[in-house]
Amino acid sequence: MLSGERLRAWIPAGALGEHLYYEASLSSTNDRAKQLAESGCPDGTLVVADEQTAGRGREGRGWFTPAGAALAFSVVLRPRSSSPDEIGGWTAVGALSVCQALQRLGAQADVKWPNDVLLSRRKVAGVLAEASWQGETAEFVIIGIGVNVRMEAVPGPRTLDYPATSVETCLGRSVDRAELLSSILAALGRWTAGFRLSEVLGAWEAALAFRGETVHVEGAGRAWQGRLSGLGPRGELRLRLDNGDSLLLPAEAMHLRPVDSGPV
Ligand code: BTN
């Protein structure tokens, strides 16, 4: 079972998450983190819930978090300098931190652009980064991360928009959620100290799923198909079209899938 006490035992003093709010059930950890950020909580504040009753994904989609099966948490960051252009980079450091923690457990994870973490080409985690800007400066950035640890965290096929799995299914053994959270936070702490989008891009590109494969991307009422060749300077997706042209697609409202993906 998760508990505030158990989580505290896994988070070193002075590390990201030292200021911890744990609740057995919350509507959304991102919503709670936003309230705390607006009332002045310190940089690195962590909100964790065992269950979310109204967890949120990108573009108003829901995020399923039943009790006892997942990790659902949000970290409030107060970067010294960051601009709205860099929001994709904050999403990426969330996803890269999950990948690194999963690698420590022996699983090879990669990032489905822009915000999903895959194990064996199935979604195992999602990242929702939200920020409050004052002009060109971030008042705060919230990185919300949801991980399907047990198979019970994976929603039924009718509500899935992409094939999904769980960490325990892929590893074939049980995983301690508090330990996994502590490992993700340790990686996130390294990425967010002195965050620079230019420094994140190389690692993000190296971790991209489907690189060199033909992918289908939809968004803003349009669709594209081409070879995924990398990222642009702001984390845009670089697609090589059949006619040889290269296209940069911004992450907002875009959905990507490999053309060979089977039914959900
Ligand atoms: C996505 O795949 O669309 C992003 C999912 C992000 C889910 C996490 S769970 C913790 C945090 N609280 C939320 O309401 N959402 C994020």
Side-chain angles (χ1 to χ4, degrees):
M1 255 308 271
L2 283 184
S3 69
E5 201 177 64
R6 229 181 105 52
L7 291 174
R8 260 178 212 102
W10 276 102
I11 298 172
L16 202 68
E18 187 186 14
H19 302 278
L20 166 70
Y21 291 78
Y22 170 77
E23 299 284 348
S25 181
L26 277 177
S27 54
S28 153
T29 57
N30 264 37
D31 291 349
R32 181 75 183 109
K34 184 165 182 248
Q35 289 166 353
L36 292 166
E38 285 169 346
S39 51
C41 72
D43 178 47
T45 295
L46 169 67
V47 180
V48 185
D50 186 38
E51 171 196 52
Q52 292 185 120
T53 54
R56 295 188 290 109
R58 280 169 81 221
E59 291 143 56
R61 280 176 298 167
W63 183 261
F64 183 57
T65 315
L71 268 180
F73 64 96
S74 304
V75 179
V76 178
L77 299 165
R78 297 190 182 279
R80 255 179 244 123
S81 78
S82 183
S83 70
D85 280 352
E86 295 183 314
I87 191 71
W90 292 104
T91 304
V93 294
L96 288 169
S97 301
V98 175
C99 287
Q100 286 170 343
L102 293 176
Q103 269 149 19
R104 286 193 54 185
L105 292 177
Q108 178 56 49
D110 40 30
V111 179
K112 181 169 89 66
W113 181 89
N115 69 319
D116 294 335
V117 177
L118 306 184
L119 278 177
S120 308
R121 294 170 79 95
R122 289 177 167 259
K123 178 162 171 167
V124 76
V127 180
L128 181 64
E130 299 180 302
S132 168
W133 306 103
Q134 287 197 331
E136 285 294 295
T137 311
E139 193 193 352
F140 57 81
V141 175
I142 292 167
I143 301 184
I145 298 181
V147 186
N148 303 332
V149 179
R150 311 216 160 104
M151 207 52 200
E152 292 81 352
V154 177
R158 269 181 302 165
T159 50
L160 275 182
D161 61 356
Y162 193 83
T165 189
S166 76
V167 178
E168 291 192 349
T169 306
C170 288
L171 290 176
R173 63 179 165 87
S174 64
V175 167
D176 183 326
R177 286 181 293 156
E179 186 176 358
L180 178 59
L181 173 64
S182 140
S183 178
I184 297 170
L185 289 173
L188 194 59
R190 290 190 291 272
W191 281 112
T192 55
F195 169 91
R196 284 272 171 282
L197 177 58
S198 53
E199 287 162 20
V200 172
L201 281 172
W204 189 5
E205 198 166 53
L208 278 183
F210 316 124
R211 196 141 172 228
E213 291 183 35
T214 303
V215 295
H216 181 84
V217 186
E218 271 179 36
R222 295 190 59 190
W224 299 265
Q225 196 158 300
R227 203 158 49 80
L228 195 166
S229 62
L231 295 174
R234 291 181 182 144
E236 307 94 324
L237 189 76
R238 197 182 290 280
L239 273 193
R240 173 69 63 137
L241 304 179
D242 284 347
N243 65 7
D245 286 354
S246 219
L247 196 68
L248 282 184
L249 296 173
E252 293 81 45
M254 291 291 173
H255 297 277
L256 176 151
R257 58 174 64 232
V259 293
D260 71 348
S261 69
V264 171

